[in-house]
Amino acid sequence: MAEFRQAGGKIDITATKAIAYHEVVVIGNIIAVASHSAKIGEKTSAYTEGVYEIKKGNEEITQGAKVYLTTDGAITATAEGNTYAGIAWRNATANDVVADVKINA
């Protein structure tokens, strides 16, 4: 048996560090985008679904590729040592400073 709790597009979190509005945060094995800023210890919520423009490094990323979040908050195609972020929603050239990512896909 299962009881419905919520749709799952947002998750409630308690900030373990200061969080800025729309900052990408790692929560266990998922990433989320903060819906509000929060100070350490404050509760807020973060989006766990959708397509977001997230900064990236200077590598090319192909539409549909699995992408990962580095410890400095940038998107990369390199899995090792990084947190799975989702799927690249469009191509990004090496010169692009952001990548469109469908998070947690």
Side-chain angles (χ1 to χ4, degrees), residues 11-47:
I11 189 169
D12 295 327
I13 59 174
T14 301
T16 57
K17 67 175 191 78
I19 298 173
Y21 170 69
H22 275 188
E23 180 177 340
V24 179
V25 294
V26 176
I27 305 164
N29 292 317
I30 65 169
I31 69 165
V33 177
S35 61
H36 297 86
S37 60
K39 296 176 183 171
I40 295 173
E42 287 184 337
K43 294 184 185 241
T44 190
S45 61
Y47 300 105

Side-chain angles (χ1 to χ4, degrees), residues 21-105:
Y21 170 69
H22 275 188
E23 180 177 340
V24 179
V25 294
V26 176
I27 305 164
N29 292 317
I30 65 169
I31 69 165
V33 177
S35 61
H36 297 86
S37 60
K39 296 176 183 171
I40 295 173
E42 287 184 337
K43 294 184 185 241
T44 190
S45 61
Y47 300 105
T48 58
E49 298 175 349
V51 177
Y52 292 88
E53 184 179 87
I54 304 173
K55 75 175 180 175
K56 67 168 214 46
N58 59 353
E59 66 184 286
E60 182 176 308
I61 295 179
T62 305
Q63 183 179 35
K66 290 181 179 181
V67 292
Y68 304 84
L69 190 71
T70 64
T71 55
D72 68 347
I75 291 297
T76 182
T78 303
E80 189 174 337
N82 297 310
T83 302
Y84 180 72
I87 302 294
W89 204 243
R90 66 172 178 84
N91 289 327
T93 69
N95 294 329
D96 289 331
V97 296
V98 296
D100 286 353
V101 178
K102 182 172 185 181
I103 62 172
N104 303 312

